[in-house]
Amino acid sequence: MSHLGKIIRKIPSLNPGAVIKEGLDMLENEFVVNRADKIIFDFRDPRTISSFNLNTDTDIKGNTTASFQFNNQNISGVFKGNLDSNVSAEMSKSKVVKSGFAAIRSSQIPEDVDMEKHDSIEIRCRGDGRTWVMNLLPIDKYDGTNSRMFQAVFTPPRLLSSSPSSPSSPSPSSTTSTTLTNDNKEDNKITNKTNEQQWTDIIIPYNKFFSSYMGGKDKNPFLYEGQPLVGLGLLMAERIDGPFYLEIQYIRA
């Protein structure tokens, strides 16, 4: 990882529903991070996509739809669908009070990835302007469920395409490098400005991931410090019904 310097973008303080209830107020320091250089998941390989698990609120009789598929044209993974937060009468009978989510999660972390040797996670992506959650499942806290994890939120810039489900094929050099901080300045290093064809590298320092339990803030929250992981995932739970779209090339540390 080469030295990157001062972090230059703010984690949005948006609450994507019950998943992120509180906790961003505890992350008020500015940090210097190194640019990630170890690929954890390469979604340019369709085998990586097939190794991820997909689930939605249909598990609790909700109506959100989602898919995670390989995009042959852009050589990437596409996580898209339609968010529906409506709680039906049938769900209410089962004491469900909130709905509206879709998530993907890896079945494991590659054995050659040592998270302790890094200090940030980078995702190269482009999307529809919605806010997403990245989930980290630590081995020492994993109980066979997703009840305990570390979470951070990020918002890829919105594609200018009128139809986010079919963006134009990107140029290999059309990339914006972006990182996250707590000041209000944004300074994107654009190597080739190509509008909707533009990929964004979002770098999230470890100390932006806070612990959560059962979808809410931990009673005694603490930050991620590079502990070994049993899984990594992405979550859409923004509480805004309608289509969502995220295209990903890779995640690295």
Side-chain angles (χ1 to χ4, degrees):
M1 289 163 65
S2 60
H3 182 67
L4 180 66
K6 187 177 180 181
I7 305 168
I8 46 94
R9 188 172 177 181
K10 182 181 181 182
I11 281 188
S13 56
L14 176 65
N15 176 353
V19 181
I20 302 296
K21 293 180 180 178
E22 302 176 49
L24 291 182
D25 54 340
M26 59 183 275
L27 305 176
E28 294 298 331
N29 295 318
E30 215 171 83
F31 302 94
V32 173
V33 300
N34 292 321
R35 189 175 180 82
D37 65 353
K38 175 65 178 178
I39 289 184
I40 308 175
F41 298 111
D42 191 343
F43 299 106
R44 295 167 294 190
D45 184 342
R47 292 173 298 181
T48 301
I49 296 169
S50 62
S51 71
F52 270 64
N53 299 313
L54 169 70
N55 73 291
T56 69
D57 56 30
T58 55
D59 297 338
I60 55 172
K61 302 185 185 301
N63 296 306
T64 294
T65 59
S67 65
F68 186 41
Q69 299 176 331
F70 182 67
N71 185 319
N72 285 298
Q73 179 183 1
N74 297 336
I75 316 299
S76 60
V78 174
F79 182 21
K80 65 179 181 178
N82 189 79
L83 205 65
D84 187 339
S85 61
N86 179 60
V87 178
S88 66
E90 183 180 7
M91 296 168 71
S92 296
K93 290 179 181 178
S94 302
K95 297 183 179 181
V96 174
V97 295
K98 291 184 179 180
S99 185
F101 71 86
I104 54 173
R105 204 205 89 180
S106 66
S107 56
Q108 61 183 4
I109 299 293
E111 294 182 357
D112 62 343
V113 175
D114 186 350
M115 301 302 289
E116 290 185 336
K117 293 182 178 179
H118 307 275
D119 61 7
S120 62
I121 294 178
E122 175 180 335
I123 178 170
R124 172 166 288 186
C125 60
R126 56 185 190 170
D128 55 8
R130 280 183 175 266
T131 292
W132 295 79
V133 180
M134 183 177 290
N135 295 326
L136 306 180
L137 282 76
I139 291 176
D140 61 343
K141 301 291 183 182
Y142 189 62
D143 59 1
T145 70
N146 294 343
S147 59
R148 278 199 183 276
M149 62 182 72
F150 292 94
Q151 299 181 304
V153 295
F154 66 98
T155 307
R158 181 172 182 170
L159 290 172
L160 298 184
S161 171
S162 59
S163 175
S165 62
S166 58
S168 301
S169 178
S171 162
S173 61
S174 57
T175 304
T176 300
S177 181
T178 307
T179 54
L180 306 175
T181 188
N182 284 302
D183 58 32
N184 294 319
K185 297 179 180 179
E186 182 171 336
D187 181 16
N188 294 335
K189 182 181 178 182
I190 300 174
T191 56
N192 184 15
K193 190 173 182 180
T194 54
N195 298 328
E196 73 271 13
Q197 296 182 359
Q198 196 166 280
W199 291 96
T200 300
D201 295 332
I202 297 179
I203 303 172
I204 310 175
Y206 283 175
N207 37 38
K208 298 300 184 185
F209 288 91
F210 65 90
S211 61
S212 67
Y213 178 68
M214 296 297 290
K217 182 182 177 182
D218 224 331
K219 289 184 178 179
N220 299 298
F222 51 95
L223 304 179
Y224 180 62
E225 296 179 336
Q227 299 95 314
L229 300 175
V230 69
L232 182 154
L234 298 173
L235 169 71
M236 168 47 61
E238 200 182 17
R239 302 300 177 205
I240 301 175
D241 288 355
F244 61 86
Y245 180 93
L246 185 69
E247 190 172 357
I248 321 160
Q249 283 200 329
Y250 55 72
I251 295 175
R252 61 185 184 181

